[in-house]
Amino acid sequence: MPHTHTRHGSSGDDLCSTDEVKIFKDEGDREDDKISSENLLVEEKSSLIDLTESEEKSQKVARPDHSPVFNKLDTHTTSFNMGYLVSPYSYANGAANGLPVTMANKIGLPPFFCHNADPLATPPPAHCGIPPYQLDPKAIGLTRPALYPFAAGQYAYPMLGSEMSQVASWHTPSVYSASSFRTPYPSSLPINTTLPRFSPSLLPSVHATSHHVLNSHSAIVASSSKQDCGSHQDSTTNNRYPRNLDTKNTSSNQSNDSSKDISNDKKKPHIKKPLNAFMLYMKEMRAKVVAECTLKESAAINQILGRRWHELSREEQSKYYEKARQERQLHMELYPGWSARDNYGYVSKKKKRKKDRSTTDSGGNNMKKCRARFGLDQQNQWCKPCRRKKKCIRYMEAMNGNGGILEDGSGMDDHGSDDDDDDEDDDDVKLNGSCGSVDADETANKIDDDAESLDHGSMSSFAQSPSTTTTSLASPLNMINFINPTTPNPAALLINCSATEQQQQQRSTSVSTTSTSVSASSGSGGTTPSTSSTVSPVTTGMPGINSSIPGANCIPGASGTSSSQTMLLGNRFSHLGMGLSPVFTTTSTAGTGLTTNKLEPFFGNNISLNNLNNSQIPIPVMPNIIRNPIGANPRDINNPLSINQLTNHHQPSSLLKSSFSQHLHQQQQLLNVTHMTTTSAVNNKNKVVVASSNRNDATTTAMMSISSHHAEKTSAAECHSNHEKNTDHHQQSNASGKTPSSAGATETGAISVS
DNA sequence: TATCCTTTGAAGGGT
DNA sequence: ACCCTTCAAAGGATA
């Protein structure tokens, strides 16, 4: 029960620090209509606040300009003795007026900052802003109810249903309102689940001191919430306090607790980023999706949500954008000095990544091609191949030396393309190395020059590159961009590549024409699962296109694949269901040399069979269609565990099955042709490796859910089927209409695939 | 226990 | 201006 008035006062003091003042000034600058209107109310109460303020001044000289709150706090000393144990809300109430005048006036606090004790009149305070308590969102859910037992009872908010919350939030300009964070989920749902960022218990604390509110601000989290949860102070002691610590506020704790100061130093306050529109949407809709689907895996849910997000009307989205805007504004007001950059590296993994990256960088210039290393003005320093615009030997060596992502010698890119060999290229190289070795450089280049077969190899090695950056490419949209030739994206290279490949394929219907891509197949075959597992099919550009993507094998648990690989693949493939092209996968079994091809068609709005079929690509006789054993492929209509059964989605099974299987067949044909090279390797082995992991099943289920819809839609549109469309069909039109560019991308993608 | 996965959007830094 | 990276939420899966 460490919290004494003094501490509160100090905190509050901090709260009302000049920083806050600055905030308000800023606020005034970017004043909101809403806020301005509310200022009137605030002003009405300013007199009271002023009074308290003066009182406080008399008591605490150290606090020049604020915090009547503290004074109030003092008045509630008794309750405070119990500290937050009993209820912070008593404190909150006492502090109702606590908001510093300056703050109140400038921030344009809503009416609920008044002393009004009316529960309904006391809106969620989160934005009443103040220095951050470091709250662990997860911890909050667990501890707060206990800590503030009567909060809910005292204030109706927590008890309010969604409607009521909305009503009550009428005066709440902030997105941190209860309505924003609590009501999104069905009222029946546990509040905790809905309030990671905004504790229900905090809502009642409308009257809480500003710092209280702030502390309770969901954006504030212990510096290392996950790690430190257990180490946090006793929950009864309002653990938020110690963590509150904006560096600016450190002085506030000076009072007695050097140890705490130390801990504060250690635990830097972590102010979370404000949620963006999509995040808000996700928060709100997640529960619904979870309820609708059997899925619980967030990754899968998020995929669905992402899709739904795009299917939302503009108006619907604008609602969330507005919320997000408000949240950002509020966040800005609360933490003027905060920068998203501050959170960089907050997560240890991030640090790890940075470390890895720095390590890679340390390899530094060596990782660059001569052109990048020495520049155009020092071409004499370039290695011979570079001078000839061929693959950089040095780069390759560096790559190999790094343990590289190009161990198979596929790291060299330079498809002999017209693309300049610049830094960008270097990145491309990582992603898109050709399959050639240094020695084979010339040969490879001949091929390149000759057939412009930007190589299957490059595709394959691209896929094999574990260093591939997955972040921005993970999104289906990114994928769209990725495959969109008009998009200035490294992916364009792949597109060209695949397009060229396609042309080549077309020029020669013979499977043997793909001989130029032997390296690709060899690469895939020679790549260990572990290597490929680190590669996202998405990152590889068009996962579905690249038959030689070892990691693209979405057969979960395929023999020779590690569990991690399975996981990765499963997850990664799951996003193929978001509108990516079918995936033709190749599995290489380490040690056995066994390679298995497998078709993994995923259909989406953007890249659909429709487009694929529209691509005027001759559909030769399908060579070998390796079929999954029943049960292995959820999409297999013969699979008792098909998506139709694994999900709650209502599938027009007849339509879906017929059209889907039809498309599947066609797709298989296309893909088999396209990836004949890889296939050939598979055929040689003539084996099928299939397995499944629970995880992948789950993910796959999600994919299936999505894919099935897409397939269904696609087939319906394409065949002009008279079948009654699923109620979800309208979404497709919306989505497609909203992403006009995707159409092109889709086509491109389709072309790439074929 | 920590990290991954997955989504979109915002923000900041670098080029 | 554009690109890239990171982080925000979520929770099961995985190492």
Side-chain angles (χ1 to χ4, degrees):
Chain A
M1 317 292 192
H3 293 296
T4 63
H5 296 278
T6 301
R7 295 198 64 189
H8 286 295
S10 62
S11 279
D13 211 1
D14 295 340
L15 210 154
C16 303
S17 65
T18 55
D19 290 336
E20 290 297 333
V21 173
K22 288 179 182 178
I23 295 171
F24 298 124
K25 290 179 179 178
D26 290 55
E27 174 61 15
D29 293 341
R30 22 183 152 87
E31 187 53 64
D32 237 352
D33 294 340
K34 195 182 297 181
I35 293 174
S36 61
S37 64
E38 293 170 347
N39 283 337
L40 295 175
L41 293 175
V42 174
E43 291 177 358
E44 287 183 23
K45 296 158 187 182
S46 63
S47 61
L48 293 176
I49 296 173
D50 289 341
L51 175 63
T52 57
E53 183 177 8
S54 61
E55 291 175 356
E56 177 187 8
K57 286 180 179 178
S58 64
Q59 292 180 351
K60 298 185 179 182
V61 178
R63 268 183 237 139
D65 61 348
H66 6 3
S67 274
V69 174
F70 305 111
N71 192 15
K72 284 286 182 179
L73 292 176
D74 291 341
T75 62
H76 294 279
T77 300
T78 54
S79 63
F80 279 100
N81 288 338
M82 289 306 291
Y84 292 113
L85 276 177
V86 174
S87 169
Y89 293 108
S90 59
Y91 163 81
N93 288 337
N97 304 331
L99 197 64
V101 174
T102 55
M103 185 180 224
N105 288 335
K106 294 188 177 184
I107 199 170
L109 293 176
F112 57 84
F113 278 93
C114 301
H115 299 284
N116 184 352
D118 181 358
L120 292 179
T122 58
H127 51 299
C128 298
I130 302 317
Y133 280 88
Q134 295 181 0
L135 295 180
D136 183 339
K138 294 180 179 179
I140 290 172
L142 295 174
T143 61
R144 287 195 180 170
L147 290 173
Y148 314 106
F150 69 87
Q154 182 176 359
Y155 297 93
Y157 256 167
M159 310 301 283
L160 293 176
S162 60
E163 295 89 353
M164 289 302 291
S165 295
Q166 291 175 356
V167 171
S169 63
W170 61 272
H171 52 283
T172 304
S174 168
V175 286
Y176 291 97
S177 66
S179 62
S180 298
F181 291 101
R182 305 183 60 211
T183 60
Y185 293 104
S187 57
S188 61
L189 293 176
I191 292 175
N192 288 345
T193 61
T194 67
L195 290 174
R197 287 171 61 83
F198 200 89
S199 170
S201 63
L202 292 174
L203 296 177
S205 66
V206 172
H207 301 290
T209 59
S210 57
H211 83 271
H212 239 100
V213 175
L214 221 142
N215 286 337
S216 59
H217 192 288
S218 60
I220 302 168
V221 177
S223 58
S224 52
S225 58
K226 289 183 179 179
Q227 301 91 333
D228 297 346
C229 288
S231 65
H232 284 338
Q233 293 182 352
D234 181 351
S235 60
T236 62
T237 64
N238 183 6
N239 46 24
R240 289 165 262 171
Y241 241 109
R243 291 179 203 134
N244 153 20
L245 338 144
D246 222 358
T247 52
K248 305 167 187 172
N249 302 331
T250 54
S251 61
S252 64
N253 292 334
Q254 77 252 41
S255 41
N256 332 342
D257 239 354
S258 59
S259 63
K260 288 189 177 179
D261 288 343
I262 295 173
S263 67
N264 289 340
D265 292 339
K266 290 180 180 179
K267 298 176 181 178
K268 232 179 167 183
H270 180 66
I271 301 172
K272 291 188 176 183
K273 293 177 65 176
L275 300 186
N276 62 38
F278 179 70
M279 286 295 157
L280 291 171
Y281 171 77
M282 276 212 312
K283 255 189 155 199
E284 181 176 326
M285 300 302 295
R286 175 180 296 278
K288 291 180 181 177
V289 173
V290 171
E292 292 174 3
C293 305
T294 57
L295 302 172
K296 287 187 177 181
E297 191 177 358
S298 292
I301 296 296
N302 291 347
Q303 287 184 338
I304 294 172
L305 288 171
R307 222 177 91 73
R308 290 190 178 186
W309 171 253
H310 289 290
E311 291 169 350
L312 288 178
S313 66
R314 188 167 293 181
E315 292 74 20
E316 290 172 318
Q317 284 189 345
S318 64
K319 180 178 66 177
Y320 294 97
Y321 280 113
E322 176 61 17
K323 284 183 179 180
R325 187 190 67 78
Q326 292 177 350
E327 177 153 352
R328 284 197 305 275
Q329 186 175 2
L330 173 63
H331 195 278
M332 209 184 308
E333 293 168 357
L334 297 178
Y335 318 106
W338 180 87
S339 167
R341 206 76 178 179
D342 296 344
N343 291 355
Y344 274 32
Y346 171 66
V347 179
S348 60
K349 64 180 178 182
K350 309 296 179 186
K351 294 177 181 177
K352 202 171 185 179
R353 288 177 184 172
K354 284 183 177 180
K355 188 177 181 180
D356 293 342
R357 191 181 311 151
S358 64
T359 300
T360 300
D361 290 343
S362 65
N365 272 341
N366 291 335
M367 296 298 288
K368 293 184 177 181
K369 293 178 181 177
C370 293
R371 183 189 179 100
R373 292 172 63 182
F374 305 107
L376 294 172
D377 54 345
Q378 298 182 38
Q379 293 189 31
N380 58 333
Q381 305 267 354
W382 294 14
C383 65
K384 185 177 177 181
C386 275
R387 273 178 262 168
R388 301 178 59 187
K389 296 199 72 172
K390 303 300 180 184
K391 297 169 184 176
C392 177
I393 294 175
R394 290 168 182 163
Y395 173 78
M396 184 178 70
E397 290 173 348
M399 296 297 279
N400 289 332
N402 269 350
I405 53 183
L406 303 176
E407 288 177 353
D408 61 347
S410 62
M412 309 318 95
D413 146 52
D414 196 344
H415 353 81
S417 66
D418 327 343
D419 294 347
D420 284 33
D421 195 12
D422 54 11
D423 288 340
E424 287 285 332
D425 240 18
D426 289 332
D427 293 336
D428 290 343
V429 171
K430 293 175 185 176
L431 301 173
N432 187 19
S434 71
C435 42
S437 64
V438 179
D439 295 340
D441 189 44
E442 292 298 323
T443 302
N445 282 312
K446 284 182 180 179
I447 295 171
D448 288 347
D449 295 340
D450 205 38
E452 290 183 5
S453 62
L454 266 179
D455 25 11
H456 306 271
S458 92
M459 295 290 287
S460 109
S461 40
F462 185 13
Q464 295 167 15
S465 171
S467 66
T468 302
T469 299
T470 62
T471 306
S472 53
L473 294 177
S475 162
L477 292 183
N478 288 335
M479 270 303 290
I480 293 170
N481 287 334
F482 194 67
I483 61 175
N484 187 340
T486 62
T487 302
N489 189 312
L493 180 61
L494 292 177
I495 294 166
N496 293 336
C497 178
S498 58
T500 303
E501 180 181 358
Q502 174 191 350
Q503 293 172 359
Q504 184 179 357
Q505 295 284 1
Q506 289 178 327
R507 282 197 295 270
S508 173
T509 57
S510 171
V511 173
S512 62
T513 59
T514 59
S515 60
T516 57
S517 62
V518 165
S519 57
S521 57
S522 64
S524 64
T527 304
T528 62
S530 61
T531 299
S532 60
S533 68
T534 61
V535 177
S536 167
V538 172
T539 322
T540 61
M542 285 298 294
I545 332 173
N546 192 346
S547 64
S548 60
I549 300 172
N553 190 334
C554 49
I555 304 173
S559 71
T561 61
S562 65
S563 58
S564 62
Q565 180 181 15
T566 298
M567 175 188 77
L568 291 170
L569 294 177
N571 283 324
R572 294 199 161 139
F573 273 113
S574 65
H575 46 271
L576 294 176
M578 294 298 294
L580 301 182
S581 62
V583 177
F584 192 87
T585 63
T586 300
T587 300
S588 353
T589 304
T592 64
L594 173 63
T595 301
T596 302
N597 257 12
K598 183 177 180 298
L599 174 64
E600 293 292 337
F602 295 94
F603 307 101
N605 284 348
N606 303 317
I607 300 175
S608 65
L609 290 172
N610 212 6
N611 294 309
L612 291 172
N613 289 334
N614 289 337
S615 63
Q616 300 175 355
I617 299 169
I619 302 176
V621 175
M622 185 165 57
N624 278 334
I625 297 179
I626 301 173
R627 204 178 173 79
N628 295 326
I630 293 176
N633 184 357
R635 275 151 300 225
D636 190 332
I637 58 176
N638 294 321
N639 180 1
L641 297 178
S642 66
I643 51 174
N644 290 337
Q645 302 172 45
L646 292 176
T647 68
N648 291 335
H649 291 288
H650 303 293
Q651 307 286 352
S653 56
S654 60
L655 172 61
L656 173 62
K657 288 179 180 177
S658 60
S659 60
F660 186 84
S661 60
Q662 181 180 0
H663 288 298
L664 174 63
H665 183 75
Q666 292 177 353
Q667 201 55 45
Q668 286 176 321
Q669 289 178 323
L670 291 174
L671 291 174
N672 273 284
V673 172
T674 303
H675 303 286
M676 188 59 68
T677 300
T678 304
T679 305
S680 63
V682 176
N683 291 340
N684 291 337
K685 298 301 177 183
N686 209 15
K687 290 185 179 180
V688 176
V689 179
V690 176
S692 176
S693 70
N694 292 335
R695 169 169 187 151
N696 211 51
D697 286 344
T699 302
T700 302
T701 300
M703 296 188 300
M704 298 316 335
S705 173
I706 297 168
S707 301
S708 64
H709 281 292
H710 285 297
E712 170 192 345
K713 295 170 186 175
T714 301
S715 56
E718 177 183 356
C719 303
H720 303 287
S721 171
N722 292 328
H723 290 284
E724 186 176 303
K725 290 185 178 181
N726 185 295
T727 54
D728 289 343
H729 285 178
H730 71 281
Q731 296 178 342
Q732 180 189 14
S733 59
N734 288 341
S736 59
K738 283 173 142 191
T739 56
S741 61
S742 4
T746 297
E747 260 193 24
T748 304
I751 292 172
S752 296
V753 170
S754 49

